[in-house]
Amino acid sequence: MNPRPIFYIPVHGTWAIDEKHTAWWKPTGPFALYAKRNNVLQWENLPPFVWSSDISGFSYNLQSGNRKHTDWRAGGWSLYYYLSHVPLESRNLVIHSHGLQVVLYCASFGLEINNMISVCSPIRSDMNEVAETAKFRIRNWLHLYDNKDWIQFIGQFGDGQFFGSRKSKHATVNQLIKGARHSDLLKIGGQMDAWVKHGWFDFLRQ
């Protein structure tokens, strides 16, 4: 018996905007097709959510001394407007890498999120205040990480701290996945079957 169908919204990471139609976050990509076979469907009433995917977190506002996070903040507002057209029970997000910063800004702006899974997203100290605000608007958050993921490690660079933990103190649940290698959980030939094996699709159904 197939589990009940649910909807989800993918949020891609850095430099993903120009990826071809087989990208994990696009409706024609292998992850989307795999999820569909398990009755986990991309939200179909809107085209996929897209943000600039430019890297952020390195530039400073010389007047305030704070990091600008310009693309992440703008992406957060874009996601806010996008999700405002989606019922709360369908605001289930699958997030890759720095897409997490976009989602955290979105929630910190006041938008409620149902369930979300972040995949190998860099945990940055300069996002602590944003994440602290955001977590109260996120019903359930599962954070997947790999201690040997060097891209997640590099993604922490420039946050004002000497490379902290890859775990999130703000997530509802953290889960170590050895050998995830930043993108393997979303790629065919990687560890995509882990979504059923570990019950992550069921986490989105809560």
Side-chain angles (χ1 to χ4, degrees):
M1 182 177 179
N2 285 335
R4 67 179 177 85
I6 60 160
F7 289 102
Y8 77 101
I9 291 93
V11 181
H12 61 73
T14 304
W15 300 326
I17 192 171
D18 293 323
E19 288 180 329
K20 53 189 179 181
H21 68 281
T22 55
W24 77 270
W25 56 276
K26 294 189 176 180
T28 51
F31 178 80
L33 298 178
Y34 171 71
K36 188 175 182 179
R37 291 196 295 272
N38 290 277
N39 264 357
V40 180
L41 314 171
Q42 281 199 23
W43 182 250
E44 57 188 2
N45 296 328
L46 292 169
F49 171 73
V50 177
W51 62 285
S52 76
S53 78
D54 289 343
I55 199 162
S56 198
F58 295 101
S59 57
Y60 287 80
N61 184 318
L62 295 178
Q63 187 174 18
S64 68
N66 296 324
R67 289 167 179 78
K68 290 182 179 180
H69 293 182
T70 310
D71 288 280
W72 295 340
R73 286 190 285 121
W77 279 118
S78 295
L79 184 59
Y80 184 103
Y81 300 133
Y82 182 99
L83 290 177
S84 66
H85 298 284
V86 178
L88 178 58
E89 63 269 19
S90 295
R91 292 179 196 164
N92 304 306
L93 310 183
V94 175
I95 307 154
H96 184 229
S97 195
H98 274 318
L100 174 62
Q101 323 312 342
V102 170
V103 173
L104 292 177
Y105 268 113
C106 172
S108 75
F109 296 150
L111 193 107
E112 301 288 330
I113 292 170
N114 193 30
N115 302 307
M116 73 184 212
I117 300 177
S118 52
V119 178
C120 294
S121 296
I123 304 301
R124 297 175 57 93
S125 65
D126 59 351
M127 288 293 294
N128 273 338
E129 186 175 339
V130 175
E132 185 65 30
T133 301
K135 72 178 184 180
F136 296 107
R137 298 186 177 95
I138 301 168
R139 195 171 71 86
N140 289 304
W141 172 10
L142 170 62
H143 177 60
L144 308 175
Y145 69 99
D146 176 3
N147 272 335
K148 295 185 178 180
D149 174 10
W150 66 272
I151 297 179
Q152 188 182 10
F153 180 77
I154 290 173
Q156 295 174 304
F157 183 76
D159 70 347
Q161 177 176 304
F162 188 72
F163 298 114
S165 174
R166 290 177 176 84
K167 295 173 64 175
S168 171
K169 65 182 181 181
H170 300 104
T172 313
V173 183
N174 285 274
Q175 188 171 352
L176 170 65
I177 306 297
K178 294 181 179 180
R181 295 190 298 180
H182 202 62
S183 302
D184 265 19
L185 298 176
L186 300 167
K187 289 165 55 177
I188 195 166
Q191 297 188 54
M192 212 158 58
D193 287 345
W195 287 80
V196 171
K197 177 182 176 182
H198 293 296
W200 298 335
F201 287 144
D202 292 331
F203 181 90
L204 294 175
R205 285 191 173 88
Q206 292 183 84

